[in-house]
């Protein structure tokens, strides 16, 4: 069983590495509008949920499709850079926590 510390460390490394790959090495120009916010990884380190925000208003469906197509490339780059027994499977999710925070702030301001 992996320790909590190991899980957090791998999550942080994945976030940093994915952010670097998406911002500078990926060829798709849509990726320039993405910021990787955080990564949650399972206890066995085999599956990672990657959360991202959009810097520019873009078509979320196009970006999701592009990320799904680039999943193999991203996993290959991670495997090269991180010394893990298994390269985790990546699942991408739009992180709308900033929008939700702004919405809640507006609701509270109206009270």
């Amino acid at each position: 069983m992996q320790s909590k510390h190991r899980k957090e460390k791998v999550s942080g490394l994945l976030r940093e590495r994915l952010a670097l790959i998406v911002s500078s090495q990926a060829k798709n120009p849509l990726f320039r509008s993405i910021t990787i916010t955080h990564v949650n990884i399972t206890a066995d380190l085999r599956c990672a949920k990657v959360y991202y925000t959009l810097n520019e208003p873009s078509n979320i469906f196009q970006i999701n499709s592009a990320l799904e197509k680039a999943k193999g490339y991203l996993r290959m780059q991670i495997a090269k850079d991180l010394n893990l027994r298994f390269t985790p499977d990546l699942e991408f999710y739009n992180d709308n926590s900033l929008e939700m925070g702004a919405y809640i702030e507006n609701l509270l301001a109206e009270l």
Side-chain angles (χ1 to χ4, degrees):
M1 188 77 154
Q2 299 292 331
S3 70
K4 183 178 178 182
H5 177 72
R6 172 85 172 143
K7 181 179 165 182
E8 290 173 358
K9 183 177 178 181
V10 172
S11 291
L13 289 171
L14 280 173
R15 186 188 58 76
E16 290 173 10
R17 188 62 194 139
L18 282 170
L20 179 66
I21 295 167
V22 166
S23 67
S24 64
Q25 295 177 4
K27 295 178 183 177
N28 193 327
L30 287 173
F31 292 166
R32 303 224 191 301
S33 68
I34 294 174
T35 300
I36 305 295
T37 56
H38 63 278
V39 175
N40 288 338
I41 194 162
T42 57
D44 63 0
L45 306 178
R46 291 186 183 235
C47 185
K49 292 182 179 181
V50 180
Y51 295 88
Y52 65 91
T53 60
L54 302 175
N55 300 334
E56 304 168 2
S58 301
N59 186 348
I60 188 84
F61 299 109
Q62 278 184 325
I63 290 177
N64 275 338
S65 176
L67 285 168
E68 285 299 317
K69 287 180 184 176
K71 190 184 291 191
Y73 171 77
L74 295 171
R75 286 187 73 205
M76 181 182 68
Q77 292 299 316
I78 290 168
K80 283 182 185 177
D81 296 337
L82 302 181
N83 188 18
L84 300 173
R85 180 175 287 194
F86 301 102
T87 303
D89 186 35
L90 304 174
E91 298 174 8
F92 295 97
Y93 297 94
N94 183 25
D95 184 4
N96 60 357
S97 61
L98 293 175
E99 291 88 10
M100 289 300 294
Y103 175 73
I104 291 170
E105 276 187 22
N106 287 338
L107 287 177
L108 292 174
E110 291 174 4
L111 293 178

